[in-house]
């Protein structure tokens, strides 16, 4: 082959020779930024990319910059809004599989957000996620300036066109979006395919009735940190996972025969254990139970036997002299428990009086527990006493993994003081290892 022919062969647009189906598969594995960067490689990619069905405007790296320097917020907001608007103006597809926007935006950006919401709905989107967490500055409670789903958006999804379009939704996630129970119940009533609903940090949510005149398809429900919420009613025959994090509310659950995965959590003043009474009729069918709460307010009722519970995950924060042995009542009630995961966020010392009575610890054998995982082990009373108890009474434990890195340090370069604390924790972990049976694999990270 002559040199001229070789040059023509090298410059040949081989990507454009692929079928549309293969090109769309390739595009589906790329982020929007990556798609924009490779479109110049192929004439047909330029033609096809405006028809892609997954629009995920991920800006994780930029959000990381904002966390480090909040003064960049105005500039980065303008960049993000222009980016989204440019892509939407170019989009020519008739449907969307996914539409996700996630950035530090608030009510001042409502006109753009309104247009994005209506755009996604008009494209009969299946998965819709709006996440507007403020990261450039810390306020308490978070979300005070959050975007509120406007009346014009609500009116749109009540029009004949809007009603026909939302019927394709199977997943709706709203984080740091003010939304009322009326709006959410409208989605539940008119979205027969909806399987996942997530609402987090919604200041306007006061009451929510998760039910419908026809059986809900809903399988996953997550409600987190909705500080104004007072009443939550659930009737969902297909519900498998229910996650609730927040203050005490009037919780009513009925007709949830498939419920197997539950998370209960709350801050120090939230008294999250209240949820166990409304859940009492379903505890025996749970396979996974997750607790996210302070060691101080881990007070539990007398449990019925959790006959099917296989995995107990606990994310606890507290002082080094707090007590986790209160968890033994839950372990005693779980004869099939196979795995225990523990994540600890430990302060230097507790500033609260301890209400737990360790005399209630029964010392019963733990018959089925085989795997124990601990993240955030510090070598204090709170974790040493609890692990010593497990080693003494867990007769069939096959593997214990202890990570001495504080959860908030994971993936970060440790300061000298953090390194010293970690080495101290490792020494205590080694002492526990010396007391473990030879048949137990003991891993220290």
């Amino acid at each position: 082959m002559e040199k001229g022919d070789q040059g023509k062969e090298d410059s040949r647009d081989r990507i454009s020779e692929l079928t549309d189906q293969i090109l769309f598969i390739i595009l589906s594995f790329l982020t929007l930024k990556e798609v924009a960067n490779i479109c110049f490689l192929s004439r047909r990619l330029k033609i096809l990319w405006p028809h892609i069905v997954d629009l995920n405007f991920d800006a994780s790296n930029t959000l990381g910059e904002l966390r480090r320097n909040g003064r960049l917020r105005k500039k980065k907001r303008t960049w993000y809004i222009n980016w989204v608007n440019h892509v939407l103006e170019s989009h020519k597809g008739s449907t969307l599989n996914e539409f996700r926007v996630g950035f530090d935006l608030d009510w001042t950006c409502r006109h753009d957000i309104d247009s994005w919401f209506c755009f996604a709905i008009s494209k009969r989107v299946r998965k819709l996620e709006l996440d507007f967490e403020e990261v450039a500055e810390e306020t308490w409670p978070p979300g005070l300036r959050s975007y509120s789903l406007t009346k014009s958006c609500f009116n749109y999804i009540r029009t004949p066109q809007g009603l026909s379009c939302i019927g394709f939704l199977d997943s709706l996630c709203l984080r740091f979006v003010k939304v009322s129970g009326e709006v959410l119940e409208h989605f539940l009533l008119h979205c027969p395919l909806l399987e996942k609903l997530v609402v987090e940090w919604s200041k306007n949510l006061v009451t929510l009735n998760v039910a419908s005149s026809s059986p809900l398809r809903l399988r996953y429900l997550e409600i987190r940190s909705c500080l104004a919420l007072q009443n939550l009613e659930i009737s969902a025959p297909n519900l498998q996972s229910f996650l609730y994090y927040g203050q005490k509310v009037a919780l009513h659950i009925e007709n949830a025969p498939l419920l197997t995965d539950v998370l209960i959590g709350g801050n120090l003043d939230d008294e999250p254990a209240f949820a166990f009474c409304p859940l009492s009729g379903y505890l025996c069918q749970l396979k996974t139970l997750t607790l996210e709460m302070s060691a101080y307010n881990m007070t539990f009722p007398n449990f019925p036997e959790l006959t099917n519970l296989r995995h107990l995950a606990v994310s606890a924060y507290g002082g080094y002299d707090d007590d986790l042995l209160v968890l033994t009542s839950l372990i005693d009630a779980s004869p099939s428990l196979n795995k225990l995961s523990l994540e600890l966020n430990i302060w230097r010392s507790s500033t609260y009086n301890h209400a737990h009575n360790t005399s209630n610890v029964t010392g019963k054998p733990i018959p089925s527990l085989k795997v124990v995982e601990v993240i955030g082990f510090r070598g204090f009373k709170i974790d040493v006493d609890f692990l010593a108890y497990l080693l003494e009474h867990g007769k069939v434990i096959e593997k214990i993994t202890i990570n001495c890195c504080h959860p908030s340090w994971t993936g970060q370069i440790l300061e000298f003081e953090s390194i010293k604390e970690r080495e101290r924790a490792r020494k205590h972990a080694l002492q526990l290892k010396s007391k473990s049976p030879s048949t137990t694999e003991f891993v220290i990270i």
Side-chain angles (χ1 to χ4, degrees), residues 57-72:
F57 294 92
D58 177 61
S60 303
N61 292 337
T62 306
L63 287 172
E65 290 182 51
L66 283 185
R67 285 188 172 91
R68 295 187 292 271
N69 185 358
R71 290 175 295 179
L72 295 172

Side-chain angles (χ1 to χ4, degrees), residues 234-305:
I234 301 171
S235 177
N238 293 298
L239 189 67
Q240 297 175 4
S241 300
F242 172 54
L243 292 74
Y244 179 82
Y245 186 100
Q247 77 281 6
K248 185 175 182 180
V249 299
L251 175 62
H252 306 280
I253 302 176
E254 62 179 26
N255 192 21
L258 301 182
L259 186 62
T260 57
D261 176 17
V262 165
L263 179 148
I264 299 298
N267 292 317
L268 183 64
D269 299 323
D270 288 340
E271 301 179 19
F274 84 91
F276 287 110
C277 289
L279 284 165
S280 59
Y282 303 97
L283 293 176
C284 63
Q285 65 193 49
L286 297 187
K287 294 181 180 179
T288 303
L289 176 62
T290 303
L291 305 176
E292 294 182 1
M293 59 183 70
S294 164
Y296 171 73
N297 62 6
M298 279 188 184
T299 54
F300 305 118
N302 293 323
F303 283 101
E305 196 167 81

Side-chain angles (χ1 to χ4, degrees), residues 28-71:
S28 71
F29 284 99
L30 303 176
T31 67
L32 284 175
K33 290 182 180 179
E34 289 170 338
V35 170
N37 288 335
I38 70 164
C39 277
F40 73 93
L41 296 175
S42 165
R43 172 182 52 82
R44 288 187 56 235
L45 278 179
K46 291 181 181 179
I47 296 172
L48 289 178
W49 89 261
H51 297 270
I52 59 177
V53 295
D54 292 303
L55 296 179
N56 182 351
F57 294 92
D58 177 61
S60 303
N61 292 337
T62 306
L63 287 172
E65 290 182 51
L66 283 185
R67 285 188 172 91
R68 295 187 292 271
N69 185 358
R71 290 175 295 179

Side-chain angles (χ1 to χ4, degrees), residues 163-230:
L163 285 170
S164 67
C165 289
I166 64 173
F168 291 87
L169 265 180
D170 62 37
S171 176
L172 177 63
C173 301
L174 303 174
R175 296 185 173 93
F176 295 87
V177 174
K178 295 177 183 176
V179 62
S180 67
E182 181 185 8
V183 173
L184 294 174
E185 289 168 16
H186 179 80
F187 278 108
L188 288 166
L189 181 61
H190 296 284
C191 299
L193 303 179
L194 192 66
E195 295 187 353
K196 179 177 181 179
L197 176 62
V198 177
V199 184
E200 183 175 352
W201 286 111
S202 176
K203 186 182 177 183
N204 291 5
L205 186 59
V206 178
T207 182
L208 178 60
N209 184 12
V210 182
S212 175
S213 55
S214 58
L216 290 176
R217 194 168 175 173
L218 194 70
R219 299 176 186 273
Y220 182 99
L221 175 64
E222 181 175 355
I223 308 293
R224 280 184 177 268
S225 302
C226 296
L227 303 183
L229 187 63
Q230 299 176 7

